[in-house]
Amino acid sequence: MAPAFDGVDRLFLLTPGLGAEHTAHAVAAARAAGVRHLVHLSSANVLGDPVPAMGRWHHDREEIVRGSGIPYTVLRPGGFMTNALEWADTVRTGGYVLDPVGPGRLAPIDPADVADVAALVLTEDGHRSEHHVLTGGEALTVTEQVALLAAATGRPIAVRPTATPDEAVRARFPAGAPAALAAAITEAFALLRADTTGLRTDTVPRLLGRAPRTFADWCTRNADAFR
């Protein structure tokens, strides 16, 4: 990674997949390059008590960042609006969405809002050692999200409760998932089903001076993906 980090003084770090080894390699390269500010994309899953499996991976990555000696800012978004794109195949071919969380509520955030916050904290001072939890402004059930999507696409979309844990995992990863990830997703869905309020924060309006983008707006912009 050394050539990629040459001359870099501010870094936005997003490390996908399982585990923390890739984060350790990237942070080591950043430290060697003399990076002066590291903005790390983590997850609101680290806030659980106890922390669920999905959150533990992110927590381990955060610990690497915090222990790096590089001034840092951690962003902890909740669920992304773009996760709805995982419904596109069943919407197009069958006119339905699988729902693994029933009454559970989530305030999904548009990744564009995450990007705007990341750009802000990368380019202005005053965010060192802070941990920003990012959510959208509306806590919605899957049924409510689907109703907004149906209005944007102009077509009826049914909601079908998932019958088994395997079907719930396929609702998020239609092509399947590794065993560790499947177990983590199953756990996350159970926790979300139990959360009938939904985590919401004022971080986006406080930092950006505007309301978060809405899920209805996201659906309008992305309606063609579901037709």
Side-chain angles (χ1 to χ4, degrees):
M1 293 184 178
F5 282 75
D6 185 32
V8 172
D9 63 355
R10 300 187 186 209
L11 171 68
F12 176 71
L13 180 62
L14 187 164
T15 49
L18 311 182
E21 185 177 8
H22 38 24
T23 302
H25 290 318
V27 169
R31 186 170 54 242
V35 168
R36 297 186 293 106
H37 186 200
L38 193 162
V39 176
H40 173 56
L41 188 71
S42 181
S43 167
N45 282 310
V46 303
L47 302 174
D49 185 16
V51 178
M54 195 74 70
R56 289 195 295 273
W57 295 323
H58 288 287
H59 176 268
D60 291 346
R61 297 170 189 176
E62 286 190 12
E63 288 290 278
I64 292 169
V65 169
R66 282 188 287 266
S68 67
I70 303 171
Y72 67 88
T73 306
V74 174
L75 305 182
R76 293 169 170 168
F80 295 137
M81 292 180 184
T82 45
N83 289 346
L85 292 170
E86 293 156 1
W87 302 336
D89 184 58
T90 60
V91 169
R92 287 194 304 263
T93 60
Y96 69 92
V97 165
L98 291 172
D99 178 9
V101 299
R105 291 183 177 273
L106 178 73
I109 186 165
D110 192 322
D113 283 337
V114 179
D116 286 346
V117 170
L120 178 77
V121 300
L122 274 168
T123 56
E124 73 173 23
D125 295 328
H127 301 281
R128 306 297 170 90
S129 302
E130 292 191 351
H131 299 73
H132 294 306
V133 180
L134 310 176
T135 73
E138 306 164 290
L140 303 168
T141 64
V142 167
T143 296
E144 290 167 345
Q145 291 180 60
V146 170
L148 293 170
L149 181 61
T153 59
R155 59 178 298 179
I157 305 174
V159 177
R160 298 183 184 176
T162 56
T164 66
D166 285 346
E167 189 176 41
V169 171
R170 289 199 301 274
R172 179 70 191 273
F173 293 97
L181 181 57
I185 289 293
T186 300
E187 179 189 29
F189 282 153
L191 292 171
L192 182 54
R193 173 177 283 274
D195 182 3
T196 56
T197 301
L199 172 67
R200 286 187 291 172
T201 71
D202 66 350
T203 309
V204 169
R206 179 166 50 82
L207 293 180
L208 300 180
R210 61 164 177 79
R213 293 171 171 90
T214 68
F215 188 67
D217 288 342
W218 183 91
C219 291
T220 297
R221 297 197 312 271
N222 292 276
D224 286 347
F226 299 88
R227 292 183 174 127

